[in-house]
Amino acid sequence: MDKLSVMNAFRRIVERGSFARAAEDLGVSPALLSREVKLLEESLGTVMLSRTTRSMSLTDSGQLYYDEARGILDAVSQVETRIRDGAGVVRGHLKVNASSSFGQTVIAPMLPGFLDAYPDLRLTLSMDDRVIDMVEGGFDVSVRIRAAMPDSALVARKLGTMRQQVFAAPSYLERFGSPQAPQDVSQHRVIGFLLADHLSAWTLHGPSQTETVDVDPLIRVGNSLVLRDLLISGQGIGTLPGFASNDPVARGELVRILPDWELPAPEIFAVTASRLGMNAKVTAFLDHLRMALEP
């Protein structure tokens, strides 16, 4: 028995003074309403409505049930109205998780404009390079960069694609030369990203073919920005996502090597615990993030 549905039906019968009129309002048959009231009376062990062929009246129990049911139904209606009215309002506490490098390079610069646009919003930004438990951490959204998201109860929305290419500093290339083909990589000092799928093998896509090169990084780090800084200092060659490489390349601190080749591009996902996680504050944050990711 759906208690709220039965309460609503009972209230409508009392206020309309007729099973037939209440049934018409609710779009059901009078017989169904009569059966529901009978089941309600049986479950409570008391008569709620005194009925004759000509009239209907509330018993004392029926009056008590009607008064309480009306208060409950009005309270539920008020809560639903408040939620609907506030569904599009960006306020409250937004908890975001992202990798350290992506958070510092992409999310942090967009935060002032985002927070200026929504001054009533509280924000917690947690940065962790390892995948965290969103539900346990209480996060509204987690931004993850992966080749693909595994099947799970989480809901992932693709925000964009992040190119992954090979770089070195001019100082390194002056000392050791530049690899001309993927197989030349084995002759160079490689700096690897600990959490990458390609730590020990690079699958490089070229103009007309794909080659996989085994690598054994002499230096392994767990943060893309640390890897970037080591490359800039001339310590070796390595792969970087676009958000970490664009600025140093523009400044001439890094040079793209093997320019006709690149690794598979990982996807940028916004992950929420459920579809209900896409409330107004999450939607606003992801709109700003999409703009920050535009070239």
Side-chain angles (χ1 to χ4, degrees), residues 115-135:
L115 295 172
D116 285 345
Y118 304 107
D120 294 331
L121 189 69
R122 294 178 59 204
L123 174 71
T124 296
L125 174 61
S126 170
M127 293 184 286
D128 194 320
D129 286 312
R130 297 189 179 276
V131 175
I132 49 85
D133 186 322
M134 283 192 58
V135 176

Side-chain angles (χ1 to χ4, degrees), residues 10-192:
F10 187 81
R11 176 181 180 176
R12 190 63 59 92
I13 291 166
V14 172
E15 292 176 350
R16 295 287 278 158
S18 163
F19 276 80
R21 287 192 290 268
E24 183 178 354
D25 291 346
L26 297 171
V28 297
S29 68
L32 176 62
L33 289 189
S34 179
R35 186 161 59 251
E36 286 192 341
V37 170
K38 182 178 180 181
L39 289 172
L40 175 64
E41 290 176 332
E42 289 176 353
S43 70
L44 296 175
T46 187
V47 175
M48 312 281 282
L49 290 170
S50 295
R51 286 172 282 176
T52 67
T53 55
R54 295 185 178 182
S55 65
M56 179 184 71
S57 61
L58 285 169
T59 64
D60 290 343
S61 297
Q63 184 67 54
L64 174 62
Y65 188 87
Y66 168 76
D67 292 339
E68 296 298 329
R70 184 177 61 180
I72 292 169
L73 291 169
D74 287 346
V76 169
S77 178
Q78 290 170 10
V79 169
E80 290 177 342
T81 298
R82 288 169 59 191
I83 291 174
R84 290 192 191 99
D85 289 346
V89 178
V90 180
R91 65 162 62 100
H93 189 182
L94 174 66
K95 296 186 69 176
V96 179
N97 172 263
S99 70
S100 298
S101 52
F102 187 85
Q104 292 177 59
T105 309
V106 179
I107 295 179
M110 62 159 258
L111 286 182
F114 173 66
L115 295 172
D116 285 345
Y118 304 107
D120 294 331
L121 189 69
R122 294 178 59 204
L123 174 71
T124 296
L125 174 61
S126 170
M127 293 184 286
D128 194 320
D129 286 312
R130 297 189 179 276
V131 175
I132 49 85
D133 186 322
M134 283 192 58
V135 176
E136 183 178 338
F139 293 103
D140 297 293
V141 60
S142 177
V143 182
R144 301 181 184 175
I145 302 175
R146 295 285 182 272
M149 288 298 299
D151 292 336
S152 70
L154 302 177
V155 179
R157 299 167 179 83
K158 180 180 172 182
L159 298 178
T161 300
M162 188 61 65
R163 301 184 72 175
Q164 189 91 348
Q165 298 164 333
V166 187
F167 299 91
S171 61
Y172 176 88
L173 299 177
E174 289 173 5
R175 292 174 60 197
F176 300 103
S178 178
Q180 301 301 304
Q183 296 305 325
D184 296 340
V185 168
S186 61
Q187 303 170 22
H188 288 264
R189 291 169 56 91
V190 173
I191 304 176

